[in-house]
Amino acid sequence: EDQVTQSPEALRLQEGESSSLNCSYTVSGLRGLFWYRQDPGKGPEFLFTLYSAGEEKEKERLKATLTKKESFLHITAPKPEDSATYLCAVQDTGRRALTFGSGTRLQVQP
Amino acid sequence: DTAVSQTPKYLVTQMGNDKSIKCEQNLGHDTMYWYKQDSKKFLKIMFSYNNKELIINETVPNRFSPKSPDKAHLNLHINSLELGDSAVYFCASSLQGAHGYTFGSGTRLTVV
């Protein structure tokens, strides 16, 4: 059974204080690993898809990396508007649906 | 606006009632999904349709019945609502079952 574990559960940063969120996963075959951002009262918003170990993708202050067992979402010099819950999900080669982790709730204080 | 839209956004109802949630996407995607987000924020797949054909039906009580009149619409009907059905239900769509999903803004269902 596919599993996704995210850590930490919650993270509080000062504006400008860089950090990383972790997503550990177990799948029989990885079709893709996805990162989403979810703001309170809204649906998840797609950020990145990573397909193979060693792949990296960047968007503004966010950079996602992938190994065979985990993914990291690096946040460089975060701003208060980066505060949200960040969700990681995997798609197994044998399934169409995504399996989600429970998310990391990030709070960036000015 | 191109989007996945769900109605209603909030739904408060009594135990035993029957209710429906509607979802529409105008992105030209061929696959649509229903996910349930519980109080611990886990998103769990319930159903998926590809071009009006049911392709995923996870272990969900048969009180839940999805209906897809066309590939742009996926509705969720729930019979005999129970307290445990309280959650946020998200509709999503994607192209060819892969790549990033586009999610709706969710329907918060509260059963009292």
Side-chain angles (χ1 to χ4, degrees):
Chain A
E1 186 178 331
D2 301 339
Q3 283 195 319
V4 178
T5 303
Q6 292 188 246
S7 62
E9 192 173 309
L11 181 62
R12 184 178 293 181
L13 300 173
Q14 291 295 124
E15 185 172 1
E17 180 186 2
S18 301
S19 188
S20 297
L21 313 183
N22 178 264
C23 171
S24 298
Y25 65 91
T26 304
V27 292
S28 54
L30 182 67
R31 190 173 189 183
L33 184 140
F34 303 81
W35 282 99
Y36 286 84
R37 169 191 171 129
Q38 186 174 21
D39 292 297
K42 295 190 177 180
E45 177 187 343
F46 172 72
L47 293 174
F48 304 109
T49 308
L50 301 167
Y51 295 101
S52 58
E55 190 175 358
E56 299 182 351
K57 288 196 176 170
E58 285 187 69
K59 180 180 179 179
E60 296 180 357
R61 295 176 294 282
L62 301 177
K63 179 180 176 180
T65 62
L66 180 65
T67 72
K68 288 188 177 179
K69 293 184 178 181
E70 57 190 352
S71 177
F72 290 93
L73 185 66
H74 306 279
I75 303 177
T76 302
K79 297 182 178 181
E81 53 262 42
D82 295 321
S83 298
T85 295
Y86 290 85
L87 298 169
C88 174
V90 295
Q91 186 177 29
D92 193 309
T93 51
R95 283 170 54 88
R96 288 184 184 238
L98 301 186
T99 300
F100 281 84
S102 58
T104 293
R105 192 171 64 256
L106 174 67
Q107 186 177 9
V108 182
Q109 295 183 316
Chain B
D1 288 345
T2 54
V4 177
S5 56
Q6 294 180 230
T7 54
K9 187 167 177 64
Y10 300 97
L11 188 52
V12 181
T13 188
Q14 291 188 325
M15 278 196 307
N17 283 351
D18 303 338
K19 290 293 179 186
S20 292
I21 307 172
K22 295 185 176 182
C23 179
E24 175 182 3
Q25 57 93 5
N26 61 3
L27 298 165
H29 290 169
D30 58 4
T31 307
M32 296 184 72
Y33 310 82
W34 278 113
Y35 274 80
K36 178 180 179 180
Q37 189 170 44
D38 60 23
S39 57
K40 294 184 178 180
K41 302 300 182 184
F42 273 106
L43 275 160
K44 292 185 179 177
I45 183 69
M46 299 175 69
F47 302 104
S48 178
Y49 272 76
N50 178 260
N51 287 321
K52 301 196 301 177
E53 180 185 348
L54 182 65
I55 57 171
I56 296 175
N57 185 354
E58 293 290 305
T59 307
V60 175
N62 58 15
R63 297 182 294 104
F64 291 78
S65 54
K67 282 189 172 55
S68 182
D70 55 60
K71 71 175 188 178
H73 296 84
L74 179 61
N75 304 322
L76 183 65
H77 188 76
I78 316 170
N79 290 325
S80 304
L81 278 154
E82 299 177 358
L83 293 176
D85 297 331
S86 296
V88 182
Y89 293 85
F90 285 99
C91 177
S93 70
S94 70
L95 197 58
Q96 297 182 344
H99 313 293
Y101 291 3
T102 301
F103 279 86
S105 56
T107 296
R108 180 174 293 277
L109 172 65
T110 303
V111 183
V112 298

